[in-house]
Amino acid sequence: MSVRFLSLPARIVWNALFWTYDRATWQYDLMVVAILAFVWLTPPEWLSDPMASGPGLIGYFAQWIR
Amino acid sequence: MTVTGAIGAIFLFPLRLIIDAAVALRIHPNVLTFVGVLINAAAAWALALGRFMLAGVIMTIANVFDFIDGKVAQELKAVSRFGGFWDSVIDRFSDISLFIGLIYLYSRLGRTGYVIVAALAMMFSIMTSYTRARAESLIPKCKVGFMERPERIVLFMIGAFTNRMAAVLWVILVLSIVTVADRIFYTWRELNSAEPEPIA
């Protein structure tokens, strides 16, 4: 399906949702980075994680700024 | 080469040695598949006890078996249609057992919210495989969507080794929902574009 009529941000969202890229492409790498950033940077308490402890990297930064 | 491509190449080296050993011992690939699910059941037990690091180690071993069975089948010239079917069925048992381990853990901790999250993630993970299998009975190929089994397995291991299982479950849930929707939409589009135009 042609998405050329969409603006660039809309095209990025469209291509991320209707994913057709193979593994070991730069788009795949970018998605992996985004996922790992969410997993490792989000403070566990924001997700009410029953098992994890510690504030996570974003939590450390938030504490440091305060 | 991309970063994920390089990581794959690095891990392929020790796996190559294990594949060679399995081929030399002439271990039937269907046996490797079955051993994989048994080890995954042990990983599920470790998850259920909340012993994530141990679960991560066991999952790593189980997934070696998961990965090498197809390669060993090729090298032993033992590729069969039943082998493909067996592998797919056993993979579903492996997936479900890991989720059941987490569901047990969260229910034991009294965390109903995460019981639901894990159950939904399990449902959409199974539907990810089902939609593709069913679609490919109607159209030639339906390999769209990000969250396939290898991604799920690697995420499970990352969640276990770094004790970030809740975040991993959310990622699996959201991206599995998107993948299932993507496959339904793709199949609908392919089937509609393949149908002949009505004659005016």
Side-chain angles (χ1 to χ4, degrees), chain B residues 58-80:
Chain B
I58 299 173
M59 269 189 265
T60 307
I61 298 166
N63 291 312
V64 167
F65 283 85
D66 249 11
F67 179 81
I68 67 169
D69 53 5
K71 313 274 180 209
V72 171
Q74 284 169 3
E75 301 211 1
L76 285 176
K77 303 206 181 338
V79 176
S80 67

Side-chain angles (χ1 to χ4, degrees), chain A residues 38-61:
Chain A
F38 174 77
V39 169
W40 284 335
L41 301 184
T42 308
E45 64 188 46
W46 289 10
L47 302 171
S48 305
D49 190 328
M51 295 296 288
S53 55
L57 277 180
I58 291 180
Y60 278 123
F61 281 120

